[in-house]
Amino acid sequence: MKVTVKSIPVRYDGERYFKGQEVEIKDAHFNENLFVKGQDAEETDLYTLTEAELKKINKDDIKAFLDTEGIEYDSSANKDELIAIVLGDADDE
């Protein structure tokens, strides 16, 4: 099942996952204190993540978050530019 890490870093299958990161886990390993599953996973607030944590989020997921928030961005923006927008570091032109 695909889940999102809630708040504290989680080690799973030899990898470390941070708040907001998605990970595929076995159903038997689901712990509601550590993960959010299903539709709830898409409600992760990227504004609460650090730059390092955002760098581990899929570019399309960042775009989807910005779309949900109604924030405009250049469709050809690279991941670092999208992260800057989320962090409020984007240059206003």
Side-chain angles (χ1 to χ4, degrees):
M1 88 172 45
K2 195 172 195 178
V3 297
T4 300
V5 177
K6 272 189 170 178
S7 59
I8 61 171
V10 174
R11 185 168 295 279
Y12 184 78
D13 199 24
E15 298 290 327
R16 189 170 185 192
Y17 299 92
F18 295 93
K19 178 179 177 181
Q21 277 191 282
E22 290 186 345
V23 58
E24 189 76 29
I25 66 170
K26 294 180 181 178
D27 291 350
H29 296 161
F30 178 75
N31 179 328
E32 66 183 23
N33 295 317
L34 300 175
F35 303 111
V36 179
K37 65 179 173 178
Q39 295 287 30
D40 297 335
E42 295 181 15
E43 296 175 13
T44 301
D45 184 359
L46 298 188
Y47 294 130
T48 63
L49 302 181
T50 66
E51 182 176 2
E53 292 169 329
L54 287 168
K55 286 185 180 280
K56 296 178 181 183
I57 304 289
N58 180 298
K59 178 181 173 182
D60 290 333
D61 291 339
I62 296 172
K63 284 184 169 186
F65 174 78
L66 294 172
D67 291 340
T68 299
E69 293 292 310
I71 298 172
E72 294 183 20
Y73 57 90
D74 184 338
S75 61
S76 64
N78 65 36
K79 188 172 180 177
D80 288 334
E81 292 168 330
L82 296 173
I83 289 171
I85 293 169
V86 172
L87 295 174
D89 296 338
D91 292 334
D92 294 329
E93 296 183 22

